Amino acid sequence: MREGSLESPVRHPLGWDQPEFYDEAKLDAETRRVFDICHGCRRCFNLCDSFPRLFDLVDAAPNEMEGVKSADFKQVVDACTLCDMCFMTKCPYVPPHEFNLDFPHLMLRHRAVEHRKQQLSFAQRQLTETDRNGKLAAMAAPLANWASSTENVAARAVMERVAGIDRRAVLPKFHGRTFTARAKYEVPPVNADAPGFGRKAVLYATCFVNYNGPDIGMAARAVLARNGVETEVAYPACCGMPQLEQGDLGRVAEQARKVAAGLKDYLDRGYDVIALVPSCVLMLKFEWPLILPGDAAVKRLSSATFDIAEYVVDIARRNGLAEGLRPLDGGVCLHLACHARAQNMGQKAAEMLRLIPDADVQVIERCSGHGGSWGVMLGNFDSAIKVGRPVARQAAQSGKAHLASECPLAGDHIAQGIALQDGAPPTPEHPIQILARAYGLGAA
């Protein structure tokens, strides 16, 4: 028996469509096995609140794991943000090691059991409907943004009571014109003189960029056009990450099939697929093939999908970037999102920003604490701020003029963390917006 593993991590298909997956006795036995190993190792003590809770739980029990009540597992499960960092960066016992640990997917299995037992509240289920919510909010964006502002004390108090969203948490703004709507009429000219001319890519808009961050999409499209890439924009549906967080794996599979079918024609025509938010890229690349391992369309889409920074760096390496990049004053403090790191592709956003002449980039490679919708929920917000406090502190102390994160939600959370430390954060941006500015591409 080996103590640790040096091989590349391997993830097994989830098997969520098998009865055994939901067998609570078997789940309890597996949880005790994994928790016992984690308790003896403790390498993940500083990643998120799940592990301190786990260690305290076992430490306080008589006879260690034998004395832990199964009902107490929930506090550990609820603290997991599914960031995947324990699996990707810390755990020496992930497959192919014989211990076969996959802590995030064990937590996901617990949530799948909860979902099947209908233990989620009505409000929790409604918050995952990002497409419906985005469409409705876009129809009255100024009103939606007024109601969701932390300065609107009365509205946020009602939201906290009804939906369980902590009144202190900063929420993303909505836009009246979605990215897909703008993309129909704002088509940047493709630079035929660029070294990368001839490439074709479809931008999978993602629910966040479509409804909350269309400027990110426009910046990406402008940068790609400057580099000779012909682009189209498509958004068949949400990737299902909000449903994954709640353990609704059947719904995730449904979304995967829908999006794969919606993007099939682009793949047939030789287009690459670029997603603009790391969580969504992770879904297309890795989570979907584990949920639907026998689906050829999902597998094909997975192999054709790129993160936006990954794609720009690939252009630079294979073809060279178009001329026109100019230095930026003040430097950039760049937060690398957990779901970008979980793609195991390296620091692509940092590589991309260092293509800017005289680049001054400080990288923060640590969890922001936000965890998708997890960090805004009542009961989680304080933990989210605590986990993200070192990131906010490093960003504030960096002295850089620009703050960037590959995850827009993480960027806002870091900025709020800086403000809570009596700092004055710059407006957080996506790295592709920083690159667009270096190209002088409008206000992107």
Side-chain angles (χ1 to χ4, degrees):
M1 182 179 292
R2 297 167 300 154
E3 179 60 30
S5 177
L6 297 178
E7 292 90 350
S8 299
V10 175
R11 296 197 106 159
H12 302 307
L14 280 168
W16 63 276
D17 52 352
Q18 302 299 316
E20 185 177 274
F21 190 80
Y22 302 93
D23 186 311
E24 293 187 59
K26 292 182 178 179
L27 176 57
D28 187 84
E30 175 64 4
T31 302
R32 290 180 179 278
R33 183 187 76 86
V34 170
F35 280 12
D36 191 38
I37 295 171
C38 291
H39 178 254
C41 175
R42 301 189 181 225
R43 286 186 63 179
C44 294
F45 74 97
N46 63 344
L47 286 183
C48 70
D49 241 19
S50 279
F51 295 101
R53 291 185 188 188
L54 188 164
F55 304 148
D56 289 347
L57 188 65
V58 180
D59 288 342
N63 301 322
E64 296 192 341
M65 278 307 303
E66 291 181 17
V68 176
K69 297 178 181 178
S70 298
D72 290 335
F73 292 166
K74 183 171 172 55
Q75 61 183 281
V76 179
V77 175
D78 287 350
C80 177
T81 64
L82 299 179
C83 73
D84 279 344
M85 286 299 96
C86 56
F87 183 92
M88 292 301 299
T89 70
K90 291 284 189 177
C91 184
Y93 303 125
V94 299
H97 191 278
E98 54 216 296
F99 285 179
N100 194 31
L101 261 65
D102 189 334
F103 190 91
H105 280 176
L106 178 64
M107 300 299 98
L108 179 60
R109 186 176 170 189
H110 274 275
R111 293 182 184 180
V113 169
E114 290 180 358
H115 182 270
R116 174 164 283 199
K117 294 168 66 176
Q118 299 183 335
Q119 293 179 343
L120 298 177
S121 69
F122 175 79
Q124 285 176 307
R125 295 196 303 272
Q126 300 315 305
L127 289 174
T128 68
E129 300 296 334
T130 52
D131 285 334
R132 181 204 61 195
N133 298 342
K135 290 174 183 177
L136 291 174
M139 294 170 61
L143 179 61
N145 295 335
W146 169 80
S148 65
S149 171
T150 54
E151 297 178 0
N152 192 331
V153 178
R156 287 301 298 268
V158 172
M159 191 180 299
E160 182 178 274
R161 186 166 57 252
V162 174
I165 299 174
D166 195 297
R167 68 184 70 188
R168 298 167 294 171
V170 170
L171 299 177
K173 303 301 182 184
F174 289 93
H175 289 253
R177 293 187 67 207
T178 64
F179 177 41
T180 52
R182 290 180 62 178
K184 292 179 181 178
Y185 304 103
E186 302 177 37
V187 183
V190 177
N191 179 12
D193 295 326
F197 180 71
R199 287 184 177 227
K200 300 184 297 183
V202 56
L203 300 184
Y204 171 56
T206 76
C207 60
F208 185 92
V209 171
N210 196 40
Y211 302 116
N212 306 108
D215 289 345
I216 297 172
M218 298 305 295
R221 208 175 186 199
V223 168
L224 292 172
R226 173 64 66 90
N227 281 281
V229 183
E230 173 194 333
T231 59
E232 294 191 32
V233 176
Y235 183 57
C238 172
C239 69
M241 175 59 84
Q243 285 76 28
L244 185 84
E245 291 177 345
Q246 303 293 352
D248 189 355
L249 298 177
R251 182 69 180 282
V252 178
E254 177 186 323
Q255 296 296 97
R257 294 187 185 101
K258 185 174 183 179
V259 174
L263 297 179
K264 178 181 180 300
D265 178 62
Y266 293 101
L267 297 181
D268 290 342
R269 291 188 284 144
Y271 280 68
D272 299 315
V273 177
I274 301 173
L276 302 171
V277 176
S279 297
C280 308
V281 186
L282 187 70
M283 292 294 285
L284 272 65
K285 281 185 177 181
F286 298 110
E287 295 291 0
W288 286 1
L290 296 176
I291 293 171
L292 294 170
D295 192 306
V298 166
K299 183 177 181 180
R300 182 187 182 198
L301 177 58
S302 171
S303 63
T305 298
F306 296 84
D307 178 273
I308 179 61
E310 177 187 22
Y311 197 78
V312 172
V313 169
D314 188 67
I315 293 174
R317 288 180 174 177
R318 292 176 182 270
N319 310 105
L321 291 185
E323 296 179 354
L325 284 171
R326 297 290 181 267
L328 291 175
D329 293 332
V332 181
C333 180
L334 171 66
H335 168 253
L336 297 181
C338 292
H339 282 169
R341 296 171 65 193
Q343 294 173 48
N344 202 26
M345 61 182 179
Q347 298 184 353
K348 287 295 180 287
E351 292 180 46
M352 181 180 75
L353 293 182
R354 286 174 178 141
L355 296 170
I356 299 172
D358 302 324
D360 176 14
V361 181
Q362 177 175 324
V363 172
I364 299 177
E365 197 173 35
R366 185 164 180 164
C367 182
S368 73
H370 196 276
S373 62
W374 183 89
V376 305
M377 302 307 294
L378 191 63
N380 293 343
F381 179 72
D382 288 324
S383 292
I385 288 294
K386 181 183 75 172
V387 171
R389 189 172 292 123
V391 177
R393 182 169 54 247
Q394 289 180 57
Q397 293 174 350
S398 73
K400 307 301 183 188
H402 305 280
L403 173 63
S405 176
E406 297 161 292
C407 174
L409 290 172
D412 288 340
H413 185 67
I414 294 167
Q416 184 172 16
I418 294 173
L420 290 173
Q421 297 179 34
D422 297 321
T427 300
E429 297 178 280
H430 191 285
I432 197 66
Q433 292 176 289
I434 302 288
L435 191 68
R437 180 178 291 109
Y439 266 122
L441 295 171

